[in-house]
Coordinates of all heavy atoms in Angstrom, one line a residue:
M678 N 125.9 94.5 97.7 CA 124.8 94.1 98.4 C 123.7 93.5 97.5 O 123.3 94.2 96.5 CB 124.2 95.2 99.2 CG 125.0 95.5 100.5 SD 124.1 96.8 101.5 CE 124.6 98.2 100.7
K679 N 123.4 92.3 97.7 CA 122.4 91.6 96.9 C 121.0 91.7 97.5 O 120.8 91.5 98.7 CB 122.8 90.2 96.7 CG 124.1 90.0 96.0 CD 124.5 88.5 96.0 CE 125.9 88.4 95.5 NZ 126.6 87.3 96.0
G680 N 120.0 92.1 96.7 CA 118.6 92.2 97.2 C 118.4 93.4 98.2 O 119.4 94.0 98.6
Q681 N 117.2 93.5 98.5 CA 116.8 94.6 99.4 C 116.6 94.0 100.8 O 116.2 92.9 101.0 CB 115.6 95.3 99.0 CG 115.8 96.2 97.8 CD 114.6 97.1 97.5 OE1 113.5 96.7 97.8 NE2 114.8 98.3 96.9
L682 N 116.7 94.9 101.8 CA 116.4 94.5 103.2 C 114.9 94.5 103.4 O 114.2 95.3 102.7 CB 117.0 95.5 104.1 CG 118.6 95.6 104.1 CD1 119.0 96.9 104.8 CD2 119.1 94.4 104.9
P683 N 114.4 93.7 104.3 CA 113.0 93.8 104.6 C 112.7 95.3 105.1 O 113.4 95.8 106.0 CB 112.8 92.8 105.8 CG 114.0 91.9 105.7 CD 115.1 92.7 105.1
G684 N 111.7 95.9 104.5 CA 111.3 97.2 104.9 C 112.0 98.3 104.2 O 111.7 99.5 104.2
E685 N 113.1 98.0 103.4 CA 113.9 99.0 102.7 C 113.0 99.7 101.6 O 113.0 100.9 101.6 CB 115.1 98.3 102.0 CG 115.9 99.3 101.3 CD 117.2 98.7 100.7 OE1 117.4 97.5 100.8 OE2 118.1 99.5 100.2
Q686 N 112.2 99.0 100.9 CA 111.4 99.6 99.8 C 110.3 100.5 100.5 O 110.0 101.6 99.9 CB 110.7 98.5 99.0 CG 110.0 99.1 97.8 CD 111.0 99.9 96.8 OE1 112.0 99.4 96.5 NE2 110.6 101.1 96.5
M687 N 109.8 100.1 101.6 CA 108.8 101.0 102.3 C 109.5 102.3 102.6 O 108.9 103.4 102.4 CB 108.4 100.3 103.6 CG 107.4 101.2 104.4 SD 107.1 100.5 106.1 CE 108.6 100.9 106.9
Y688 N 110.7 102.3 103.2 CA 111.4 103.6 103.5 C 111.7 104.4 102.2 O 111.6 105.6 102.2 CB 112.6 103.4 104.3 CG 112.3 103.1 105.8 CD1 112.4 101.9 106.3 CD2 111.8 104.1 106.6 CE1 112.1 101.6 107.7 CE2 111.5 103.9 107.9 CZ 111.6 102.6 108.5 OH 111.2 102.4 109.8
L689 N 112.1 103.7 101.2 CA 112.4 104.4 99.9 C 111.2 105.1 99.4 O 111.2 106.2 98.9 CB 113.0 103.4 98.9 CG 114.4 102.9 99.2 CD1 114.7 101.7 98.2 CD2 115.4 104.0 99.1
D690 N 110.0 104.4 99.5 CA 108.7 105.0 99.0 C 108.3 106.2 99.8 O 107.9 107.2 99.3 CB 107.6 103.9 99.0 CG 107.8 102.8 98.0 OD1 108.6 103.0 97.0 OD2 107.2 101.7 98.1
L691 N 108.5 106.0 101.2 CA 108.2 107.2 102.0 C 109.1 108.4 101.8 O 108.6 109.5 101.7 CB 108.3 106.7 103.5 CG 107.3 105.8 104.1 CD1 107.7 105.3 105.4 CD2 105.9 106.5 104.1
I692 N 110.3 108.1 101.6 CA 111.3 109.2 101.3 C 111.0 109.9 100.0 O 111.0 111.1 99.9 CB 112.8 108.6 101.3 CG1 113.2 108.3 102.7 CG2 113.7 109.6 100.7 CD1 114.4 107.5 102.8
A693 N 110.6 109.1 99.0 CA 110.3 109.7 97.7 C 109.1 110.6 97.7 O 109.0 111.6 96.9 CB 110.1 108.6 96.7
K694 N 108.2 110.4 98.6 CA 107.0 111.2 98.7 C 107.2 112.5 99.5 O 106.3 113.4 99.5 CB 105.8 110.4 99.4 CG 105.4 109.3 98.5 CD 104.3 108.5 99.3 CE 103.9 107.2 98.5 NZ 103.0 106.4 99.2
L695 N 108.3 112.6 100.2 CA 108.5 113.8 101.1 C 109.5 114.7 100.4 O 110.3 114.3 99.6 CB 109.1 113.3 102.4 CG 108.1 112.5 103.3 CD1 108.9 111.9 104.5 CD2 107.0 113.3 103.8
P696 N 109.4 116.0 100.8 CA 110.2 117.0 100.1 C 111.7 116.9 100.6 O 112.0 116.6 101.7 CB 109.6 118.4 100.6 CG 108.9 118.0 101.9 CD 108.4 116.6 101.7
Q697 N 112.6 117.1 99.6 CA 114.0 117.2 100.0 C 114.4 118.6 100.1 O 113.6 119.5 99.7 CB 114.8 116.5 98.9 CG 114.7 117.1 97.5 CD 115.5 116.4 96.5 OE1 116.3 115.5 96.8 NE2 115.3 116.7 95.2
G698 N 115.5 118.8 100.7 CA 116.0 120.2 100.9 C 115.9 120.7 102.4 O 115.9 119.8 103.3
Y699 N 115.7 122.0 102.6 CA 115.7 122.5 103.9 C 115.0 123.9 103.9 O 114.7 124.4 102.8 CB 117.1 122.7 104.4 CG 118.0 123.5 103.5 CD1 118.2 124.9 103.7 CD2 118.7 122.9 102.4 CE1 119.0 125.7 102.8 CE2 119.5 123.7 101.5 CZ 119.6 125.0 101.7 OH 120.4 125.8 100.9
I700 N 114.7 124.4 105.0 CA 114.1 125.7 105.2 C 115.2 126.7 105.7 O 115.8 126.4 106.7 CB 112.9 125.7 106.1 CG1 111.8 124.8 105.5 CG2 112.4 127.1 106.4 CD1 110.6 124.7 106.4
S701 N 115.4 127.8 105.0 CA 116.3 128.8 105.5 C 115.5 130.0 105.8 O 114.4 130.2 105.3 CB 117.4 129.1 104.5 OG 116.8 129.6 103.3
V702 N 116.1 130.9 106.7 CA 115.4 132.1 107.0 C 116.2 133.3 106.6 O 117.4 133.4 106.8 CB 115.2 132.2 108.6 CG1 114.5 133.5 109.0 CG2 114.4 131.0 109.0
K703 N 115.6 134.2 105.8 CA 116.3 135.4 105.3 C 115.7 136.6 106.0 O 114.5 136.6 106.2 CB 116.0 135.5 103.8 CG 116.7 134.4 103.0 CD 116.4 134.7 101.5 CE 117.0 133.5 100.7 NZ 116.8 133.7 99.3
T704 N 116.5 137.5 106.4 CA 116.1 138.7 107.1 C 116.1 139.8 106.1 O 117.1 140.1 105.5 CB 117.0 139.0 108.3 OG1 117.0 137.9 109.2 CG2 116.5 140.3 109.0
I705 N 114.9 140.4 105.9 CA 114.8 141.5 104.9 C 114.1 142.6 105.7 O 113.0 142.5 106.2 CB 113.9 141.0 103.7 CG1 114.6 139.8 103.0 CG2 113.7 142.2 102.7 CD1 113.7 139.2 102.0
N706 N 114.8 143.8 105.7 CA 114.3 145.0 106.4 C 113.9 144.7 107.8 O 112.9 145.1 108.3 CB 113.1 145.6 105.6 CG 113.5 146.1 104.3 OD1 114.6 146.6 104.1 ND2 112.6 146.1 103.3
G707 N 114.7 143.8 108.5 CA 114.5 143.5 109.9 C 113.4 142.4 110.2 O 113.2 142.1 111.3
K708 N 112.8 141.9 109.1 CA 111.8 140.8 109.3 C 112.4 139.5 108.8 O 113.1 139.5 107.8 CB 110.5 141.2 108.6 CG 109.8 142.3 109.2 CD 108.4 142.5 108.5 CE 107.6 143.6 109.2 NZ 106.3 143.7 108.6
D709 N 112.0 138.4 109.5 CA 112.5 137.1 109.0 C 111.4 136.5 108.1 O 110.2 136.5 108.4 CB 112.7 136.2 110.2 CG 113.9 136.6 111.1 OD1 114.7 137.3 110.6 OD2 113.9 136.3 112.3
Y710 N 111.9 135.9 107.0 CA 111.1 135.2 106.0 C 111.6 133.8 105.7 O 112.8 133.7 105.4 CB 111.0 136.0 104.7 CG 110.4 137.4 104.9 CD1 111.2 138.5 105.1 CD2 109.0 137.6 104.7 CE1 110.6 139.8 105.3 CE2 108.5 138.8 104.9 CZ 109.3 139.9 105.1 OH 108.7 141.2 105.3
P711 N 110.8 132.8 105.9 CA 111.3 131.4 105.7 C 111.2 131.1 104.2 O 110.3 131.5 103.5 CB 110.3 130.6 106.4 CG 109.0 131.4 106.5 CD 109.4 132.8 106.5
Y712 N 112.3 130.4 103.7 CA 112.3 130.0 102.3 C 112.7 128.5 102.3 O 113.5 128.0 103.0 CB 113.4 130.8 101.5 CG 113.0 132.2 101.1 CD1 113.0 133.2 102.0 CD2 112.5 132.4 99.9 CE1 112.6 134.5 101.7 CE2 112.0 133.7 99.5 CZ 112.1 134.7 100.4 OH 111.7 136.0 100.1
Y713 N 111.9 127.8 101.4 CA 112.2 126.4 101.2 C 113.2 126.3 100.1 O 113.1 126.9 99.0 CB 110.9 125.7 100.8 CG 111.1 124.3 100.3 CD1 111.8 123.3 101.0 CD2 110.5 123.9 99.1 CE1 112.0 122.0 100.5 CE2 110.7 122.6 98.6 CZ 111.4 121.7 99.3 OH 111.6 120.4 98.8
Q714 N 114.3 125.6 100.3 CA 115.4 125.5 99.3 C 115.7 124.0 99.0 O 115.7 123.2 100.0 CB 116.6 126.2 99.8 CG 116.4 127.7 99.9 CD 117.6 128.5 100.2 OE1 118.3 128.2 101.2 NE2 117.9 129.5 99.4
W715 N 116.0 123.7 97.8 CA 116.3 122.3 97.3 C 117.1 122.4 96.1 O 117.2 123.5 95.5 CB 115.0 121.6 97.1 CG 114.2 122.0 95.9 CD1 114.2 121.5 94.6 CD2 113.3 123.2 95.8 NE1 113.4 122.2 93.8 CE2 112.9 123.2 94.5 CE3 112.9 124.1 96.7 CZ2 112.0 124.2 94.0 CZ3 112.0 125.1 96.2 CH2 111.6 125.1 94.9
K716 N 117.7 121.3 95.7 CA 118.5 121.3 94.5 C 117.7 120.6 93.4 O 117.0 119.6 93.6 CB 119.8 120.5 94.7 CG 120.9 121.3 95.4 CD 122.2 120.6 95.3 CE 123.3 121.5 96.0 NZ 124.6 120.9 95.9
E717 N 117.8 121.2 92.2 CA 117.2 120.7 91.0 C 118.1 120.9 89.9 O 118.5 122.0 89.6 CB 115.8 121.4 90.8 CG 114.9 120.8 89.8 CD 113.6 121.5 89.8 OE1 112.9 121.5 90.8 OE2 113.3 122.2 88.8
D718 N 118.4 119.8 89.2 CA 119.4 119.8 88.1 C 120.7 120.5 88.4 O 121.2 121.3 87.7 CB 118.7 120.5 86.9 CG 117.5 119.8 86.4 OD1 117.5 118.6 86.4 OD2 116.5 120.5 85.9
G719 N 121.2 120.2 89.7 CA 122.4 120.8 90.1 C 122.4 122.2 90.6 O 123.4 122.8 90.9
K720 N 121.2 122.8 90.5 CA 121.1 124.3 91.0 C 120.2 124.3 92.2 O 119.2 123.6 92.3 CB 120.5 125.1 89.8 CG 121.3 125.2 88.6 CD 120.7 126.1 87.6 CE 121.6 126.2 86.3 NZ 121.0 127.0 85.3
V721 N 120.5 125.3 93.1 CA 119.7 125.5 94.2 C 118.4 126.3 93.9 O 118.6 127.4 93.3 CB 120.4 126.2 95.4 CG1 119.5 126.5 96.6 CG2 121.6 125.4 95.8
K722 N 117.3 125.8 94.1 CA 116.0 126.5 93.9 C 115.5 127.0 95.2 O 115.8 126.4 96.3 CB 115.0 125.6 93.2 CG 115.4 125.0 91.9 CD 115.4 126.0 90.8 CE 115.8 125.3 89.5 NZ 115.4 126.2 88.4
S723 N 114.7 128.0 95.2 CA 114.2 128.6 96.4 C 112.8 129.1 96.2 O 112.5 129.7 95.1 CB 115.1 129.7 96.9 OG 114.7 130.3 98.0
R724 N 111.9 129.0 97.2 CA 110.6 129.7 97.2 C 110.2 130.1 98.6 O 110.5 129.4 99.6 CB 109.6 128.8 96.5 CG 109.0 127.7 97.3 CD 107.8 127.0 96.7 NE 107.4 125.9 97.4 CZ 106.6 125.9 98.5 NH1 106.3 127.0 99.0 NH2 106.3 124.7 99.1
Y725 N 109.4 131.1 98.7 CA 108.9 131.6 100.0 C 107.9 130.6 100.5 O 107.2 130.0 99.8 CB 108.3 133.0 99.7 CG 107.6 133.5 101.0 CD1 108.3 134.0 102.1 CD2 106.2 133.5 101.1 CE1 107.7 134.5 103.2 CE2 105.5 134.0 102.2 CZ 106.3 134.5 103.3 OH 105.7 134.9 104.4
V726 N 108.0 130.4 101.9 CA 107.1 129.5 102.5 C 106.0 130.4 103.3 O 106.4 131.2 104.2 CB 107.8 128.6 103.5 CG1 106.8 127.7 104.3 CG2 108.9 127.8 102.8
K727 N 104.8 130.2 103.0 CA 103.7 130.9 103.6 C 103.5 130.4 105.1 O 103.8 129.2 105.4 CB 102.4 130.7 102.9 CG 102.4 131.3 101.5 CD 101.1 131.0 100.8 CE 101.2 131.5 99.3 NZ 100.0 131.1 98.6
K728 N 103.0 131.2 106.0 CA 102.9 130.9 107.4 C 102.0 129.6 107.5 O 102.4 128.7 108.3 CB 102.2 132.0 108.1 CG 103.1 133.2 108.5 CD 102.3 134.2 109.3 CE 103.2 135.4 109.6 NZ 102.5 136.4 110.4
E729 N 101.0 129.5 106.7 CA 100.1 128.3 106.9 C 100.7 127.0 106.4 O 100.2 125.9 106.8 CB 98.7 128.6 106.2 CG 98.8 129.0 104.8 CD 98.9 130.5 104.5 OE1 99.0 131.2 105.5 OE2 98.8 130.9 103.4
E730 N 101.7 127.1 105.6 CA 102.4 125.8 105.2 C 103.7 125.5 105.9 O 104.2 124.4 105.7 CB 102.5 125.8 103.6 CG 103.6 126.8 103.2 CD 103.8 126.7 101.7 OE1 103.8 125.6 101.1 OE2 104.1 127.8 101.1
Y731 N 104.2 126.4 106.6 CA 105.5 126.3 107.3 C 105.6 125.1 108.2 O 106.5 124.3 108.1 CB 105.9 127.6 108.1 CG 107.2 127.4 108.8 CD1 108.4 127.7 108.1 CD2 107.2 127.0 110.1 CE1 109.6 127.6 108.8 CE2 108.4 126.9 110.8 CZ 109.6 127.2 110.1 OH 110.8 127.0 110.8
Q732 N 104.6 124.9 109.0 CA 104.6 123.8 110.0 C 104.7 122.4 109.3 O 105.5 121.6 109.6 CB 103.4 123.9 110.9 CG 103.4 122.9 112.1 CD 104.5 123.1 113.1 OE1 104.9 124.3 113.4 NE2 105.1 122.1 113.7
K733 N 103.8 122.2 108.4 CA 103.7 120.9 107.7 C 105.0 120.6 106.9 O 105.5 119.6 106.9 CB 102.5 120.8 106.8 CG 102.4 119.5 106.0 CD 101.1 119.2 105.5 CE 101.0 117.9 104.7 NZ 102.0 116.9 104.8
L734 N 105.5 121.7 106.2 CA 106.7 121.5 105.4 C 107.9 121.2 106.3 O 108.6 120.3 106.0 CB 107.0 122.8 104.5 CG 108.2 122.7 103.7 CD1 108.1 121.6 102.6 CD2 108.4 124.1 103.0
S735 N 108.0 121.9 107.4 CA 109.1 121.6 108.3 C 109.0 120.2 108.9 O 110.0 119.5 108.9 CB 109.0 122.6 109.5 OG 110.0 122.4 110.4
E736 N 107.8 119.7 109.2 CA 107.6 118.4 109.7 C 108.0 117.3 108.7 O 108.6 116.3 109.0 CB 106.2 118.2 110.2 CG 105.9 118.9 111.5 CD 104.4 118.9 111.9 OE1 103.6 118.2 111.2 OE2 104.1 119.5 112.9
D737 N 107.5 117.6 107.4 CA 107.8 116.6 106.3 C 109.3 116.5 106.0 O 109.8 115.4 105.8 CB 107.1 117.0 105.1 CG 105.6 116.8 105.2 OD1 105.1 116.1 106.1 OD2 104.8 117.2 104.3
I738 N 110.0 117.6 106.1 CA 111.5 117.6 105.9 C 112.1 116.8 107.0 O 113.0 116.0 106.7 CB 112.0 119.0 105.8 CG1 111.6 119.7 104.5 CG2 113.5 119.0 105.9 CD1 111.9 121.2 104.3
K739 N 111.7 117.0 108.2 CA 112.3 116.3 109.4 C 112.0 114.8 109.2 O 112.9 114.0 109.5 CB 111.7 116.8 110.7 CG 112.3 118.1 111.1 CD 111.8 118.7 112.4 CE 112.3 120.1 112.6 NZ 111.6 120.7 113.8
K740 N 110.8 114.4 108.8 CA 110.4 113.0 108.6 C 111.4 112.4 107.6 O 111.8 111.3 107.8 CB 109.0 112.9 108.1 CG 107.9 113.0 109.2 CD 106.6 112.7 108.6 CE 105.5 113.2 109.5 NZ 104.1 113.0 108.8
R741 N 111.6 113.1 106.5 CA 112.4 112.6 105.4 C 113.8 112.3 106.0 O 114.4 111.3 105.7 CB 112.5 113.5 104.2 CG 113.4 113.0 103.1 CD 113.5 114.1 102.0 NE 114.5 113.6 101.0 CZ 114.1 113.1 99.8 NH1 112.8 113.1 99.5 NH2 115.0 112.7 99.0
Q742 N 114.4 113.3 106.7 CA 115.7 113.1 107.3 C 115.7 111.9 108.3 O 116.7 111.1 108.3 CB 116.1 114.4 108.0 CG 116.4 115.5 107.1 CD 116.5 116.9 107.8 OE1 116.2 117.0 109.0 NE2 117.0 117.8 107.1
E743 N 114.7 111.7 109.1 CA 114.6 110.6 110.0 C 114.6 109.3 109.2 O 115.3 108.3 109.6 CB 113.4 110.7 110.9 CG 113.5 111.8 111.9 CD 112.2 112.0 112.7 OE1 111.3 111.1 112.6 OE2 112.1 113.0 113.3
Y744 N 113.8 109.2 108.2 CA 113.7 108.0 107.4 C 115.0 107.7 106.7 O 115.4 106.5 106.6 CB 112.6 108.1 106.3 CG 111.2 108.2 106.9 CD1 110.2 108.8 106.2 CD2 110.9 107.6 108.1 CE1 108.9 108.8 106.7 CE2 109.6 107.7 108.7 CZ 108.6 108.3 107.9 OH 107.3 108.4 108.4
Q745 N 115.7 108.7 106.2 CA 117.0 108.5 105.6 C 118.0 107.9 106.6 O 118.8 107.1 106.2 CB 117.5 109.8 105.0 CG 116.8 110.2 103.7 CD 117.2 111.6 103.2 OE1 117.4 112.5 104.0 NE2 117.3 111.7 101.9
K746 N 118.0 108.4 107.8 CA 118.9 107.9 108.9 C 118.6 106.5 109.2 O 119.5 105.7 109.4 CB 118.8 108.8 110.1 CG 119.5 110.1 110.0 CD 119.3 110.9 111.3 CE 120.0 112.3 111.1 NZ 119.8 113.1 112.3
I747 N 117.3 106.1 109.3 CA 116.9 104.7 109.5 C 117.4 103.8 108.4 O 118.0 102.8 108.7 CB 115.4 104.6 109.7 CG1 114.9 105.3 111.0 CG2 114.9 103.2 109.7 CD1 113.4 105.5 111.1
L748 N 117.2 104.2 107.2 CA 117.6 103.5 106.0 C 119.1 103.3 106.0 O 119.6 102.2 105.8 CB 117.1 104.1 104.7 CG 117.2 103.4 103.4 CD1 116.5 102.0 103.5 CD2 116.7 104.2 102.3
Q749 N 119.8 104.3 106.3 CA 121.3 104.3 106.4 C 121.7 103.3 107.4 O 122.7 102.5 107.2 CB 121.9 105.7 106.6 CG 123.4 105.8 106.7 CD 123.9 107.2 106.9 OE1 123.1 108.0 107.5 NE2 125.1 107.4 106.6
S750 N 121.1 103.4 108.6 CA 121.4 102.5 109.7 C 121.2 101.0 109.3 O 122.0 100.1 109.6 CB 120.6 102.8 110.9 OG 120.9 101.9 112.0
M751 N 120.0 100.8 108.7 CA 119.7 99.4 108.2 C 120.7 98.9 107.3 O 121.2 97.7 107.4 CB 118.3 99.4 107.5 CG 117.1 99.6 108.4 SD 115.6 99.9 107.5 CE 115.4 98.4 106.6
R752 N 121.2 99.7 106.3 CA 122.2 99.3 105.3 C 123.5 99.0 106.0 O 124.2 98.1 105.6 CB 122.3 100.3 104.2 CG 121.0 100.3 103.3 CD 121.1 101.4 102.3 NE 120.0 101.3 101.4 CZ 119.6 102.3 100.5 NH1 120.3 103.4 100.5 NH2 118.6 102.1 99.7
Q753 N 123.9 99.8 107.0 CA 125.1 99.7 107.7 C 125.1 98.3 108.5 O 126.1 97.6 108.5 CB 125.4 100.8 108.7 CG 126.6 100.7 109.5 CD 127.9 100.8 108.7 OE1 127.9 101.4 107.6 NE2 129.0 100.3 109.2
Q754 N 124.0 98.0 109.1 CA 123.9 96.8 109.9 C 124.0 95.6 108.9 O 124.6 94.6 109.3 CB 122.5 96.7 110.6 CG 122.5 97.7 111.8 CD 121.2 97.7 112.5 OE1 120.3 97.0 112.2 NE2 121.1 98.6 113.5
K755 N 123.4 95.7 107.7 CA 123.5 94.6 106.7 C 125.0 94.4 106.3 O 125.4 93.3 106.2 CB 122.6 94.9 105.5 CG 122.7 93.8 104.5 CD 121.8 94.1 103.3 CE 122.0 93.0 102.2 NZ 121.2 93.3 101.0
R756 N 125.7 95.5 106.1 CA 127.1 95.4 105.7 C 127.9 94.7 106.8 O 128.7 93.9 106.5 CB 127.7 96.8 105.3 CG 127.3 97.3 104.0 CD 128.1 98.5 103.6 NE 127.9 99.7 104.4 CZ 126.9 100.6 104.3 NH1 126.0 100.4 103.3 NH2 126.8 101.6 105.1
L757 N 127.6 95.1 108.0 CA 128.4 94.5 109.1 C 128.1 93.0 109.3 O 129.0 92.2 109.5 CB 128.0 95.3 110.4 CG 128.6 96.7 110.6 CD1 128.0 97.3 111.8 CD2 130.1 96.7 110.6
A758 N 126.8 92.7 109.1 CA 126.4 91.3 109.2 C 127.1 90.5 108.1 O 127.5 89.3 108.3 CB 124.9 91.1 109.1
E759 N 127.1 91.0 106.9 CA 127.8 90.3 105.7 C 129.3 90.2 106.0 O 129.9 89.1 105.7 CB 127.5 91.1 104.4 CG 126.1 90.9 103.9 CD 125.8 91.8 102.7 OE1 126.7 92.6 102.3 OE2 124.7 91.6 102.2
Y760 N 129.9 91.2 106.6 CA 131.3 91.2 106.9 C 131.6 90.1 107.9 O 132.5 89.3 107.8 CB 131.8 92.5 107.4 CG 133.3 92.5 107.8 CD1 134.3 92.4 106.9 CD2 133.6 92.5 109.2 CE1 135.6 92.3 107.3 CE2 134.9 92.4 109.6 CZ 135.9 92.3 108.6 OH 137.2 92.2 109.0
A761 N 130.7 90.0 108.9 CA 130.9 89.1 110.0 C 130.8 87.6 109.5 O 131.5 86.8 110.0 CB 129.8 89.3 111.1
K762 N 130.1 87.4 108.5 CA 129.9 86.1 107.9 C 131.3 85.6 107.3 O 131.6 84.4 107.2 CB 128.8 86.0 106.9 CG 127.5 86.1 107.4 CD 126.4 86.0 106.3 CE 125.1 86.3 106.8 NZ 124.1 86.4 105.7
T763 N 132.0 86.6 106.7 CA 133.2 86.2 105.9 C 134.5 86.5 106.7 O 135.6 86.1 106.3 CB 133.3 87.1 104.6 OG1 133.3 88.5 105.0 CG2 132.1 86.8 103.8
A764 N 134.4 87.2 107.8 CA 135.6 87.5 108.6 C 136.2 86.2 109.3 O 135.4 85.4 109.8 CB 135.3 88.5 109.7
P765 N 137.5 86.1 109.3 CA 138.1 84.9 109.9 C 137.8 84.9 111.4 O 137.8 85.9 112.1 CB 139.6 85.1 109.7 CG 139.7 86.3 108.8 CD 138.4 87.0 108.7
G766 N 137.5 83.7 111.9 CA 137.2 83.6 113.3 C 135.8 83.9 113.8 O 135.5 83.8 114.9
W767 N 135.0 84.3 112.9 CA 133.6 84.6 113.2 C 132.7 83.5 112.7 O 132.6 83.2 111.6 CB 133.1 85.9 112.5 CG 133.7 87.1 113.1 CD1 135.0 87.5 113.0 CD2 133.1 88.0 113.9 NE1 135.2 88.6 113.6 CE2 134.1 89.0 114.2 CE3 131.8 88.2 114.4 CZ2 133.8 90.1 115.0 CZ3 131.6 89.3 115.2 CH2 132.5 90.2 115.5
R768 N 132.1 82.8 113.7 CA 131.1 81.7 113.3 C 130.2 81.5 114.5 O 130.4 81.7 115.6 CB 131.8 80.5 112.9 CG 132.6 80.7 111.6 CD 132.6 79.5 110.8 NE 133.5 79.8 109.7 CZ 133.1 79.8 108.5 NH1 131.9 79.4 108.1 NH2 133.9 80.1 107.5

């Protein structure tokens, strides 16, 4: 693929600013505790998520996933359009 799609850099910039990873819940002594987990240098890192930061972190992770899906869809459409240009019988 040559060049970037219109809007591609915008999504790449948005994705770069948002946290990667996921929130998992561990049960300790019958109580649930949320942990933010991500990969760093090939290893899974983890930290406890405080109640006051849980909502924003959860929303940011979901936004990142949505932006990644949009970007993936844009790239797929570009590949299909490029294929259609070269496929026999398409004009």
Side-chain angles (χ1 to χ4, degrees):
M678 284 186 277
K679 298 173 187 151
Q681 285 189 333
L682 296 164
E685 183 175 7
Q686 189 60 49
M687 178 191 73
Y688 282 108
L689 289 171
D690 292 342
L691 288 169
I692 288 168
K694 293 176 185 176
L695 294 169
Q697 59 182 349
Y699 55 95
I700 296 175
S701 64
V702 177
K703 295 181 183 180
T704 302
I705 302 170
N706 293 329
K708 292 187 177 183
D709 292 338
Y710 296 92
Y712 282 82
Y713 169 51
Q714 296 186 307
W715 70 98
K716 281 193 176 182
E717 192 175 295
D718 299 325
K720 295 182 181 180
V721 175
K722 301 286 184 166
S723 179
R724 75 168 175 81
Y725 173 73
V726 178
K727 297 176 185 175
K728 285 183 183 181
E729 54 271 6
E730 69 175 323
Y731 177 84
Q732 185 69 32
K733 179 162 179 12
L734 180 60
S735 179
E736 289 171 2
D737 286 349
I738 290 171
K739 286 178 185 173
K740 280 184 197 175
R741 181 186 176 102
Q742 292 170 345
E743 288 171 14
Y744 294 154
Q745 287 173 320
K746 285 180 184 178
I747 291 168
L748 191 56
Q749 183 181 20
S750 176
M751 289 170 60
R752 289 175 173 167
Q753 178 68 22
Q754 289 176 5
K755 181 181 178 183
R756 283 192 295 274
L757 289 173
E759 288 175 353
Y760 175 75
K762 289 179 191 176
T763 60
W767 288 73
R768 294 214 186 240

